[in-house]
């Protein structure tokens, strides 16, 4: 029986990893395109700074839609099951991304191009909003005893894997084509490739089993999100505070740097910046299982607290390092930042899910994570572009990142120390004596 459960857990983990990789590939394509293409294709009537702010603004719209997706998919995931809900979320995400690849631009239909872009971004946000929380919950609930930290990290690994795939495809496309061809039609290719990936992801998800914890639970809660807000709002707030630091720094690392580094004052090339992000994403992906394993062994709270100190240092250093324009220093730093981000990111899913009992776990985890993503990463590129435009100095952005990461550090330090109280076998589980699962 234990062997069967381990085998099922491995299948679910890999299916969750591949599914979240596809979802994040789709989502990061938009972020990369917003930094490199959309200001020229959809907002050409604006000056470059205003066009960039508008492009990042449409990216933020997707984050505004993510909490809605988390609530909707969380409701059905807690009432009807995790697996089929995740199939639908992947399908919505894939349709939205593929359609971006065929959208007419401003030169064809004017302002309506930007309107359609926003609609597709909302579809992406709704799909992703139901994805990560559900994937973490499904994987964690299949995990063997004492391994929920490691298994819960597999969906989280989809973030750097999706970023890696998105940037590799963008780098390959932009390198293979002339600048004119890439800006004219080449940028569409990565979006259109999404349809193939989504078909593979859906096939894999239809072959996995439903969560055993969900199957054996008592009668589902009638309105899960209401129960979350009524009885577990402290867990939502605490989860948000824990997550926002990593999310903010990650989106500067993954998205904002691609535009910031190409400013005339710094003069880094698009190819160099994409290569640095790819290197960091590779290290992030490679080190995440190690950090998760250490979290299972020594406690997720300990891992996250130590990682938050390191993240704060990285947040303060990232833009000053890029400002040097030194290729060697920037490359080394960006690669190292991959390991720093993994240290806190790998534990986020299991830590967040541990705040909520089985009956509302999908809803609670999704709501907390997506609100944190909005308040952390969702607004950060827009805030950064606006701060730079208003102050003319990157130190204003650095100060902003320092404040946000300090909030997460404090939230990590006040996580309860009595590990394993929630699940009985999971280091770092958050106690909540009011919960009866």
């Amino acid at each position: 029986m234990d062997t069967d459960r381990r085998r099922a857990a491995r299948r679910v983990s890999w299916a969750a990893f591949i599914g979240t990789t596809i979802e994040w590939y789709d989502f990061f394509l938009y972020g990369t395109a917003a930094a490199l293409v959309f200001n020229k294709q959809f907002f050409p009537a604006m000056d470059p700074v205003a066009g960039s702010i508008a492009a990042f603004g449409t990216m933020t719209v997707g984050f505004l839609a993510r909490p809605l997706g988390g609530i909707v998919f969380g409701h059905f995931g807690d009432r009807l099951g995790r697996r089929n809900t995740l199939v639908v979320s992947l399908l919505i995400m894939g349709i939205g991304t593929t359609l971006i690849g065929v959208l007419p631009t401003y030169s064809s239909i004017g302002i309506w191009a930007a309107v359609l872009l926003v609609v597709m971004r909302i579809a992406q946000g709704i799909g992703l909003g139901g994805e990560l929380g559900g994937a973490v919950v499904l994987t964690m609930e299949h995990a063997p005893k004492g391994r929920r930290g490691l298994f819960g990290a597999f969906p989280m690994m989809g973030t750097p894997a999706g970023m890696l795939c998105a940037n590799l495809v963008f780098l390959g496309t932009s390198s293979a084509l002339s600048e004119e061809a890439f800006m004219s039609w080449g940028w569409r290719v990565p979006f259109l490739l999404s349809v193939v990936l989504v078909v593979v992801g859906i096939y894999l998800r239809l072959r996995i089993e439903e969560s055993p914890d969900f199957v054996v639970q008592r009668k589902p809660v009638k309105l899960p999100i209401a129960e979350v807000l009524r009885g577990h709002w402290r867990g939502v707030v605490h989860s948000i505070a824990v997550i926002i630091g990593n999310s903010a720094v990650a989106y500067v690392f993954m998205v904002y740097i691609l535009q910031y580094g190409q400013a005339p004052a710094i003069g880094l090339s698009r190819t160099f910046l994409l290569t640095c992000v790819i290197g960091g994403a590779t290290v992030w992906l490679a080190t995440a299982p190690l950090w998760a394993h250490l979290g299972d062994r020594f406690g997720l709270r300990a891992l996250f607290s130590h990682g938050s100190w390191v993240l704060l240092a990285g947040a303060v250093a990232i833009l000053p390092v890029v400002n040097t324009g030194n290729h060697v220093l920037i490359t080394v730093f960006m690669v190292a930042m991959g390991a720093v981000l993994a240290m806190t990111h790998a534990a986020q899913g299991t830590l967040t899910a541990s705040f909520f009992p089985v009956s509302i776990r999908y809803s609670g985890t999704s709501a907390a994570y997506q609100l944190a993503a909005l308040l952390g990463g969702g607004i950060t590129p827009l805030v950064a572009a606006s701060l730079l435009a208003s102050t003319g100095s990157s130190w204003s952005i650095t100060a902003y990142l320092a404040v946000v990461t300090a909030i997460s550090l404090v939230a990590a330090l006040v996580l309860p120390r009595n590990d394993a109280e929630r699940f009985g076998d999971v280091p770092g589980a958050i106690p909540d004596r009011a919960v009866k699962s």
Side-chain angles (χ1 to χ4, degrees), residues 38 75 160 172 222 266 353 356 396:
F38 286 164
H75 175 84
K222 184 175 182 180
I266 302 173
F356 308 102
S396 59

Side-chain angles (χ1 to χ4, degrees), residues 298-321:
F298 299 108
L300 293 178
R301 178 198 181 276
L303 169 67
F304 202 92
S305 298
H306 286 89
S308 295
W309 283 107
V310 183
L311 183 67
L312 177 59
V316 172
I318 187 167
L319 292 185
V321 168

